[in-house]
Amino acid sequence: MSVLPTLPTILIFVLLIFFASTLGTWIILKCARKYGWVAKPNRRSSHKVPTPRGGGIAIALTFLGALIILWAAGLISKPLALAFLGGGAMVTLVSFIDDRRNVHVGIRLVVQFVAVAWALFFIGDMTKMNLGWRFWHLDFFTHLVPLGMVWMINMY
């Protein structure tokens, strides 16, 4: 029998995750400034001045750690945990390497599609969505889901 956490427990967990990712980001950005891990502006950049790189690794690692805690506590299913942990770890790794060494866009896209395929494999059937009162059949839209997921990865 699974015991659901109380609202105060959830809020404390969310605050701990927030503070852990904030502290981790601060530490990474301090190192980035010290060691010159910066993105220099170019024609595709959204920034105009050199900007520290790599802060996202703290957020990603905190998220992956939180997933492990939720899975261990029985609050998320094993397939969902494996979907996010495997896919998230792949994207985190290639993104961190890209921040340090500029990974070719083709390699990044391959890793992102593999991560999405991994996640979808563990999530399972996506041809229908439970709306609570009925199922919405998504046969056509399921073909667009992998592209949408890779697009979202690239947005962030």
Side-chain angles (χ1 to χ4, degrees), residues 87-101:
M90 285 181 232
V91 172
T92 298
L93 181 62
V94 78
S95 297
F96 181 71
I97 294 169
D98 184 49
D99 278 346
R100 301 290 311 181
R101 302 188 194 282

Side-chain angles (χ1 to χ4, degrees), residues 9-148:
T9 304
I10 293 169
L11 290 175
I12 290 169
F13 183 71
V14 169
L15 285 173
L16 286 172
I17 297 303
F18 172 77
F19 286 119
S21 63
T22 302
L23 177 63
T25 302
W26 179 79
I27 291 168
I28 295 290
L29 293 180
K30 192 170 173 97
C31 290
R33 288 184 183 103
K34 182 177 181 179
Y35 297 110
W37 306 336
V38 294
K40 296 185 177 44
N42 61 39
R43 60 182 173 83
R44 293 186 55 219
S45 302
S46 59
H47 52 84
K48 304 292 181 214
V49 297
T51 305
R53 299 174 82 168
I57 190 74
I59 296 167
L61 291 177
T62 303
F63 173 75
L64 294 173
L67 283 173
I68 292 169
I69 293 167
L70 292 171
W71 178 22
L75 297 173
I76 60 173
S77 68
K78 183 177 181 178
L80 187 60
L82 290 173
F84 284 127
L85 285 169
M90 285 181 232
V91 172
T92 298
L93 181 62
V94 78
S95 297
F96 181 71
I97 294 169
D98 184 49
D99 278 346
R100 301 290 311 181
R101 302 188 194 282
N102 289 328
V103 176
H104 187 273
V105 67
I107 294 171
R108 286 195 320 261
L109 281 173
V110 167
V111 171
Q112 291 166 1
F113 273 106
V114 169
V116 166
W118 171 280
L120 292 176
F121 173 80
F122 282 101
I123 289 171
D125 183 17
M126 291 191 55
T127 59
K128 59 187 173 192
M129 182 189 308
N130 186 347
L131 298 174
W133 66 94
R134 66 181 289 254
F135 283 95
W136 181 30
H137 294 277
L138 302 169
D139 296 328
F140 171 74
F141 294 107
T142 55
H143 303 292
L144 302 176
V145 168
L147 292 174

